[in-house]
Amino acid sequence: MAQIDLLTPLEVKKAKTTKKVEYMPDGRGLYLRVRDNGEKYFIVKLYRGSKIFERGIGNPSDVSLAQAREERDRYKALWKEGKDPSVEKKKQKYDAISNLEQTFEHIQAQTFQNIVTKNSSSHQRRWVGLYNKYLANTIGSLPLADIDDAIILEVVEDVHKQVPQTANKVKSLISVVFNHAIEKKWYRGSNPCKLLEGNSLIKKPKNKHFEYLKEHRVGELMELLGKSNNHINNAFIYILMVTGLRVGSLRNAKWSWVQGDVLQIPGKFMKDGKDFRCPLSTQAVTELKNLANHCVNTKPNDYIFSSPMLESKQPKSDNTFRNFLRNLIDDNEVTLHGFRTLFNIVLTKSKKFTEERIESQLTHAYTKTTIRRVYLGTEDFLDERRELVQYISDWVDNQAKHYKQAVNV
């Protein structure tokens, strides 16, 4: 019978060798490896056929002889199951580190850095706002492995009771975090948000359409803008109406963006995160030139629609322009975003432009199918979209003309 427990703790402590390396057996495959430089290490010799494999256990200063014997037995049991002890050890170490780092807060920060920062600045601000307000103090400190569909439902349902329209955005944020963790192999489970699909307790309410300025009131608006001395607000409202741009994309415009009859908008100010060339009608170009004559700050990096009180360091707020519009036409329901609805309605009714072309200006999706989009390359149909904005600008002029004639009758 093979002898075991051949070594004593004192022998391990005093072990030395004059050889380059010496293996002192303890029995059942456990050895104390001693080098001539004084280095000592417990190892296990494992056999697969005629081949010998060495697997380290640890330094005697960290691992006692008794602990080394326990590890030897565990290693041999794993080896018998076809598992490599060194691989299992690395997996345990990885899991231990991962469990410490896999809190929702940590993973959402990684998701923000790796994914969300590629989107527009407004999308990034919305992400940060949602996380800080609804998730940081609820599931932020929890490990992903501990967050199940019941916990998510409790959080999202609470949001749904306060702001139903926001609940789905919060659930979407959680889902994106889990998907990213799964893709990066930081989390080995399934996305618990999938179990909440169709849950009636957090059902998304019907979308509330933005109130828009009706077609018959456009002439009146132009008449009122003509009487207003607020050149910055006037220009903003007009250009927003004839381009179909989103408020944030236009509000943040700088003079350097104006390239002739094109407004070159950086991707960070677009919803899809991609640069966009917005064509400007002849009337819109004239509007900007007239505005420049009334502005003190027209350097390339100055905001076009800035407040004189802020010395062009930041643009006017959405509320400023919205309140200006509502006070001007005496309507507390109309919205700035509604100009996109007006833009779509006017161009659709004209029957002069395809739905795809109208959408290319509104959503910047130049085709409906992914395959066609791939083969379009960098084509953005700028010339065709010039026709759109010119048509609606001419239409607005006609509305102003007809309104003036009606008033003067």
Side-chain angles (χ1 to χ4, degrees), residues 15-63:
K16 291 181 181 179
T17 185
T18 56
K19 300 177 183 179
K20 187 174 182 178
V21 60
E22 182 178 352
Y23 290 89
M24 300 176 64
D26 181 64
R28 295 194 63 203
L30 177 63
Y31 292 82
L32 177 67
R33 187 179 64 199
V34 185
R35 298 186 185 277
D36 57 4
N37 62 2
E39 179 187 285
K40 290 180 279 189
Y41 209 84
F42 286 118
I43 64 104
V44 176
K45 288 187 179 182
L46 302 164
Y47 298 86
R48 188 81 72 200
S50 60
K51 292 184 178 181
I52 301 175
F53 299 86
E54 289 188 8
R55 293 295 181 261
I57 292 178
N59 192 299
S61 61
D62 301 320
V63 181

Side-chain angles (χ1 to χ4, degrees), residues 101-117 127 176-177 180-181 184 186:
E101 294 181 342
Q102 279 188 355
T103 62
F104 187 84
E105 180 178 12
H106 178 80
I107 300 301
Q108 79 81 26
Q110 294 296 313
T111 306
F112 182 87
Q113 184 63 39
N114 298 338
I115 297 178
V116 183
T117 53
W127 175 285
V176 171
V177 171
H180 187 54
K184 297 289 286 185
W186 296 331

Side-chain angles (χ1 to χ4, degrees), residues 342-353 355 358:
L342 175 67
F343 185 93
N344 190 17
I345 288 174
V346 171
L347 292 174
T348 301
K349 283 186 175 181
S350 74
K351 296 183 179 180
K352 294 180 179 293
F353 310 100
E355 178 185 343
I358 297 171

Side-chain angles (χ1 to χ4, degrees), residues 141-280:
S141 61
L142 297 179
L144 253 64
D146 292 346
I147 301 174
D148 57 18
D149 56 312
I151 291 176
I152 296 174
L153 177 61
E154 182 178 341
V155 172
V156 177
E157 190 177 10
D158 188 52
V159 177
H160 191 272
K161 292 174 182 177
Q162 302 173 53
V163 274
Q165 293 286 356
T166 303
N168 194 59
K169 295 176 182 177
V170 172
K171 182 167 76 73
S172 177
L173 188 156
I174 298 172
S175 182
V176 171
V177 171
F178 269 96
N179 283 338
H180 187 54
I182 292 169
E183 289 173 351
K184 297 289 286 185
K185 306 303 180 185
W186 296 331
Y187 175 71
R188 294 172 187 155
S190 59
N191 189 336
C193 289
K194 290 184 178 181
L195 298 174
L196 297 178
E197 292 178 1
N199 192 301
S200 62
L201 297 177
I202 52 175
K203 185 177 180 181
K204 183 180 178 181
K206 292 183 179 180
N207 288 328
K208 182 180 179 181
H209 295 288
F210 292 99
E211 286 298 323
Y212 71 97
L213 185 73
K214 302 303 185 286
E215 297 155 81
H216 68 273
R217 296 203 65 186
V218 171
E220 178 189 357
L221 172 62
M222 292 302 295
E223 178 76 10
L224 294 169
L225 289 174
K227 294 177 180 179
S228 168
N229 292 320
N230 194 324
H231 303 291
I232 294 175
N233 290 6
N234 294 346
F236 179 85
I237 295 299
Y238 178 77
I239 295 174
L240 191 69
M241 178 166 54
V242 300
T243 59
L245 285 170
R246 288 185 171 84
V247 177
S249 300
L250 182 61
R251 188 175 67 85
N252 288 284
K254 295 183 177 182
W255 287 107
S256 59
W257 296 10
V258 181
Q259 306 290 327
D261 63 350
V262 171
L263 192 66
Q264 182 69 50
I265 307 174
K268 64 182 293 186
F269 298 104
M270 298 300 297
K271 186 175 182 179
D272 62 1
K274 298 177 182 178
D275 292 353
F276 181 66
R277 295 194 298 170
C278 178
L280 299 171

